[in-house]
Amino acid sequence: MYTLQLRFHTHEEFRQLRSLIKAVVQHIFGEKDSFLLEVAINEAVNNALCSTHSRKLIILSMRVTAGNRLVIRIKDLGAGFNVRKVLKEMTSSPELLFERNLSSESGRGLGIIRMAADKMIYNRKGNELLLMKYIKLNAINSPNQKSVEVPR
């Protein structure tokens, strides 16, 4: 099993970690198949960063399970959002939601995340997201554990 845990507070700290996240995802899925998942992770982290506003801690963990799944957990300490309402809007009329947000700078992230992941689960509060993606071939052969915290 492979586990990576990153802790950060700001967009700048996250920018410093993006190449590491990209390298891990590309190692697992290959360069060709990793792009959409990389975008989904960026969208989820941007949502968390925007919801905290006050440089609160965000934790991103990535774990490869014995069942050949990549599990990504993104948790912020913000107030969260009404998950049921937003997900209901997405499922009832995704085309309308996409058209409404086409020229907006926000509003498409959850749709991208949903497309990229095999499972997308939010906690009730709306401040923790669990993504799961099946791995076709297990690219990670040795157990490693890494934890990185970016200093403030």
Side-chain angles (χ1 to χ4, degrees):
M1 184 164 27
Y2 179 88
T3 302
L4 173 69
Q5 186 176 80
L6 305 169
R7 297 168 175 265
F8 51 93
H9 300 86
T10 65
H11 281 91
E12 182 55 39
E13 290 174 355
F14 176 62
R15 269 189 224 103
Q16 294 172 12
L17 299 169
R18 282 176 64 177
S19 61
L20 175 61
I21 295 165
K22 179 179 181 174
V24 170
V25 173
Q26 284 186 1
H27 176 71
I28 295 168
F29 295 102
E31 193 172 332
K32 185 178 114 182
D33 296 330
S34 64
F35 180 73
L36 188 58
L37 187 58
E38 291 170 40
V39 172
I41 293 168
N42 287 336
E43 290 291 336
V45 168
N46 283 330
N47 288 349
L49 285 165
C50 289
S51 74
T52 60
H53 298 298
S54 61
R55 301 170 63 104
K56 293 180 181 176
L57 178 66
I58 295 171
I59 302 167
L60 183 149
S61 63
M62 300 171 73
R63 180 172 48 97
V64 174
T65 68
N68 286 339
R69 293 175 290 182
L70 175 64
V71 178
I72 302 162
R73 177 178 171 248
I74 300 166
K75 181 174 184 172
D76 66 69
L77 301 178
F81 70 101
N82 187 335
V83 176
R84 288 183 185 188
K85 178 183 174 193
V86 173
L87 293 180
K88 185 177 179 182
E89 273 184 21
M90 283 179 60
T91 55
S92 65
S93 180
E95 297 84 13
L96 181 62
L97 187 64
F98 186 78
E99 283 181 32
R100 193 170 55 209
N101 294 322
L102 192 58
S103 61
S104 174
E105 290 204 18
S106 63
R108 294 178 302 277
L110 290 180
I112 292 169
I113 295 166
R114 188 177 231 169
M115 280 186 347
D118 293 317
K119 269 197 180 167
M120 175 177 98
I121 303 167
Y122 272 95
N123 68 349
R124 186 172 296 193
K125 186 177 176 183
N127 70 335
E128 183 175 0
L129 171 62
L130 199 66
L131 300 174
M132 196 232 1
K133 182 79 174 168
Y134 290 106
I135 303 169
K136 293 176 186 165
L137 298 172
N138 191 1
I140 298 177
N141 298 316
S142 62
N144 294 311
Q145 181 115 4
K146 295 181 182 178
S147 183
V148 177
E149 181 155 359
V150 176
R152 289 184 98 182

